[in-house]
Amino acid sequence: MAFTRVSGAAAALAAALSLAACSPEVDVTAAGDAANPACAPMMVALPDAIGDAALRKTNSQATAAWGDPSQVILRCGVNVPGPTTDRCVSVNGIDWVIKEGDPVWTLTTFGREPATEILMDPEKISSATVLADLSASAGKIPASRNCVGQEDLQNLPSSQ
């Protein structure tokens, strides 16, 4: 009888410790094309941390989150951006369209299908850090187009 009581208490303690060690999953809504197989190579190549923010589990396919509370949210399979006048930057060969919100910025890969979206607050983490740390992973989805800047438009042949 004493063995049963001790083993039951040990099992309860082990269960409590395992639950205490887990942080809850981050609730992220999956993108419309999250099941696209082209997301898989990027998702398995995601970094374990962005800056000081550690990777956490999410509850949706082709999503990721870093930090507790979340500082960076990633969703693969969002709508591919078309031509835009929004700011586009290239970081380590990956083009990103940047929409500055208040407080959340949306960073979306340009010229890659499916597209990847990052939501982040620049007051909590640097966009340069986020884009530098995610560029290798985002590069697992091949590029078919690049951003075109105003200097590129000046070199276009005239139509006649």
Side-chain angles (χ1 to χ4, degrees), residues 36-141:
N36 189 318
C39 288
M42 180 189 67
M43 296 307 295
V44 299
L46 292 174
D48 291 333
I50 297 177
D52 293 333
L55 181 63
R56 295 176 58 200
K57 289 189 179 232
T58 60
N59 63 353
S60 299
Q61 182 174 359
T63 64
W66 290 265
D68 191 2
S70 299
Q71 296 178 20
V72 179
I73 301 288
L74 176 144
R75 299 183 329 137
C76 184
V78 297
N79 291 333
V80 176
T84 181
T85 57
D86 291 327
R87 183 167 57 131
C88 190
V89 299
S90 184
V91 177
N92 298 332
I94 310 300
D95 289 346
W96 299 90
V97 175
I98 299 176
K99 292 187 181 198
E100 296 180 17
D102 185 20
V104 176
W105 288 15
T106 303
L107 317 169
T108 308
T109 55
F110 184 83
R112 295 173 190 273
E113 194 168 332
T116 299
E117 171 186 84
I118 299 169
L119 303 172
M120 53 146 307
D121 181 346
E123 296 293 321
K124 301 197 177 188
I125 192 165
S126 162
S127 61
T129 298
V130 171
L131 294 180
D133 287 356
L134 289 174
S135 63
S137 302
K140 300 292 182 187
I141 298 174

Side-chain angles (χ1 to χ4, degrees), residues 14 65 101 103 148 159:
V148 176
S159 60

